[in-house]
Amino acid sequence: MSSCISLHTVLPKLMCLLMCLYLPVTTAAVWKITYPKQPIEDSIHVTYTIELLKLALEKTGVRFEINPTDEITLQGKAFNLLSNNRSINIVWSMTNEQREADFLPIRVPIFKGLIGWRVLLVEPNMLPKLERSNLREHSVVQGMDWPDTKILQANGFNVVNATNYDEAFMIMHRSQAGMFPRSVIEVIAEMADDNLRRDLMIEPNYVLQYPAAMYFFVNKRDKILARLLEQGFAKAMADGTFDALFNATYLPVLEELKVSQRTLVKLTNPLLPLETPLFEEHLWYQIQ
């Protein structure tokens, strides 16, 4: 009898102890993903990028939470924080050799290369000039630290340097450059902003295209997270959910810009690392 009383007394305590041991393990299994808060968090490409990140993680079956930093964190600071694994553990950005040397790239182009598809912002009086001349006869504006500057220069364009994004628009408003190439994933939102648009329009006939990949990057020590994302993306591409999200988000944009009807001007990109999966066609947008 005494042994039965002892068992009933001990069992609840044992169960409580097991639950206490189990709870921390469960909590630890939640991957906490923190990315740099963007200047326009509700923009189409930020929303798409976060949805894509969620999709990849969901395909792995892990439990996760995704949150932005408390404050807007621009790219330079974001990479500094990522290098120290402090407050940020994932960043998305255009790739180059230095970034791939410093961080672990997840070599799946987030926007299927659309970051390298560029339409031209111009003043209306530029249209007849462009019809009568070669595009390279007219100057383009880009930020001095943007990778696009070197890409355009390598392809024979005269680039007017701006110190930042806002100044690039001011240079256009002051007619100090003829064209401002903007990615097809950015330009519609920019032209919806009256302060940016002002006297500018989207040139209707041309689209520049150079191979460019925007990847997720993680700290070099975060190999498990890198593998999880690679596995998740592989599953999302295999079952069609990656393409479904991409098409739902960007096909309407491409149709609005009539990209398939424009004259395609192909450019080279000397900044691409050798490991860029250029020949895996399913990773890149193809004009239908």
Side-chain angles (χ1 to χ4, degrees):
M1 185 75 173
S2 59
S3 62
C4 292
I5 294 172
S6 175
L7 181 60
H8 286 300
T9 305
V10 171
L11 191 57
K13 294 180 180 179
L14 181 60
M15 291 297 293
C16 182
L17 177 60
L18 289 172
M19 287 179 66
C20 290
L21 290 172
Y22 174 76
L23 285 173
V25 171
T26 304
T27 303
V30 177
W31 284 88
K32 294 187 181 296
I33 308 296
T34 305
Y35 67 90
K37 186 175 183 179
Q38 303 297 298
I40 309 176
E41 271 287 304
D42 60 352
S43 72
I44 181 175
H45 52 279
V46 174
T47 302
Y48 163 80
T49 302
I50 301 308
E51 287 302 311
L52 188 61
L53 180 58
K54 288 179 182 176
L55 176 64
L57 289 168
E58 284 168 357
K59 294 297 178 183
T60 68
V62 300
R63 299 176 61 213
F64 63 90
E65 294 177 7
I66 301 176
N67 293 295
T69 52
D70 293 334
E71 298 179 352
I72 292 171
T73 308
L74 299 181
Q75 188 170 277
K77 182 178 180 181
F79 273 114
N80 285 335
L81 293 171
L82 183 63
S83 66
N84 297 315
N85 242 3
R86 291 174 47 212
S87 71
I88 287 175
N89 55 4
I90 197 163
V91 172
W92 64 90
S93 176
M94 279 181 69
T95 194
N96 59 40
E97 290 183 351
Q98 190 60 54
R99 281 180 188 152
E100 294 200 16
D102 294 340
F103 303 95
L104 284 179
I106 314 305
R107 291 194 181 93
V108 176
I110 295 171
F111 301 108
K112 302 195 82 168
L114 285 186
I115 196 70
W117 289 74
R118 302 272 164 156
V119 292
L120 306 170
L121 296 185
V122 299
E123 293 179 301
N125 62 14
M126 273 293 292
L127 294 182
K129 298 177 186 177
L130 292 175
E131 290 175 3
R132 298 192 304 265
S133 60
N134 186 300
L135 287 181
R136 289 172 176 80
E137 295 176 18
H138 305 282
S139 60
V140 299
V141 63
Q142 293 286 282
M144 63 175 62
D145 296 326
W146 300 354
D148 315 272
T149 297
K150 291 181 179 177
I151 294 168
L152 290 165
Q153 287 172 334
N155 284 274
F157 286 90
N158 174 34
V159 179
V160 177
N161 286 324
T163 55
N164 55 46
Y165 177 79
D166 290 332
E167 191 189 13
F169 276 94
M170 289 307 301
I171 285 172
M172 289 297 297
H173 297 318
R174 295 194 295 259
S175 302
Q176 293 173 324
M179 306 178 293
F180 188 8
R182 301 301 297 145
S183 166
V184 294
I185 69 171
E186 301 165 323
V187 71
I188 290 177
E190 291 171 339
M191 289 297 94
D193 185 326
D194 291 338
N195 291 326
L196 296 179
R197 183 183 72 245
R198 289 165 60 177
D199 51 353
L200 300 178
M201 63 175 289
I202 300 172
E203 190 280 332
N205 298 315
Y206 292 99
V207 59
L208 311 182
Q209 189 270 325
Y210 50 84
M214 187 170 281
Y215 294 152
F216 287 111
F217 289 88
V218 301
N219 186 281
K220 276 200 161 184
R221 295 189 296 276
D222 233 342
K223 290 183 171 62
I224 296 177
L225 177 57
R227 282 199 295 272
L228 279 173
L229 291 171
E230 288 167 353
Q231 292 166 5
F233 278 126
K235 291 179 179 178
M237 285 183 287
D239 67 14
T241 49
F242 184 117
D243 281 349
L245 177 59
F246 174 85
N247 291 339
T249 306
Y250 288 115
L251 286 190
V253 173
L254 295 166
E255 289 169 3
E256 182 175 346
L257 291 171
K258 298 180 176 165
V259 168
S260 64
Q261 300 171 37
R262 291 171 175 266
T263 298
L264 180 64
V265 180
K266 287 210 160 207
L267 307 179
T268 59
N269 183 354
L271 305 181
L272 273 186
L274 293 175
E275 296 82 358
T276 307
L278 291 175
F279 300 105
E280 296 184 39
E281 291 189 359
H282 66 285
L283 295 178
W284 307 90
Y285 170 69
Q286 312 286 335
I287 288 183
Q288 304 300 318

